[in-house]
Amino acid sequence: VYKRQVEGGSQAAATRAEVTAPFGLNLRADAQADGALLGILEPGTKVLLLDAVLRKDGSTWQQVQVDEQQGWVLSAFLKACD
C-alpha cells in the first residue's frame, strides 16, 4: 500500500483528501512554489491523491487530481477523507 503524506506529518493509505487551507490552495503544474498556477482549490475541495510525493526545500508536495486536471499541492494543507 502506497503511503501518502497528510496533515500532521502522518502517513496514511488514504486515496482522497480534502483541502484545509482557509483561503484556498494553489494547484501548480510543478512541485515548486513558482510552478505555473493551474488554479486555486477552494477550502473543502476533495482531491484524488496520486502516487507521486516530492520533498523539496523543506516542503512536501503531493500530486493530486481534481476532476480531469492533475497538478501539485503542498500536503500540509490536505486532510485525509473518505
Side-chain angles (χ1 to χ4, degrees), residues 8 15 24 31 33 35 38 43 46 51 53 82:
T15 58
L38 301 175
K46 303 257 191 309
D51 284 346
V53 175
D82 296 329

Side-chain angles (χ1 to χ4, degrees), residues 46-50 63-71:
K46 303 257 191 309
V47 299
L48 177 65
L49 300 176
L50 302 178
Q63 190 178 33
V64 300
Q65 181 171 329
V66 181
D67 299 321
E68 298 299 317
Q69 186 160 35
Q70 292 184 7

Side-chain angles (χ1 to χ4, degrees), residues 3-76:
K3 302 292 183 186
R4 293 164 179 86
Q5 194 75 27
V6 293
E7 180 181 34
S10 65
Q11 292 186 340
T15 58
R16 293 181 55 81
E18 182 177 336
V19 173
T20 61
F23 301 106
L25 182 59
N26 291 334
L27 180 67
R28 301 222 175 250
D30 300 301
Q32 55 192 30
D34 61 354
L37 183 63
L38 301 175
I40 299 174
L41 306 178
E42 296 295 322
T45 299
K46 303 257 191 309
V47 299
L48 177 65
L49 300 176
L50 302 178
D51 284 346
V53 175
L54 181 64
R55 288 169 185 79
K56 185 176 186 180
D57 299 327
S59 298
T60 302
W61 293 84
Q62 171 71 55
Q63 190 178 33
V64 300
Q65 181 171 329
V66 181
D67 299 321
E68 298 299 317
Q69 186 160 35
Q70 292 184 7
W72 293 86
V73 297
L74 287 171
S75 65

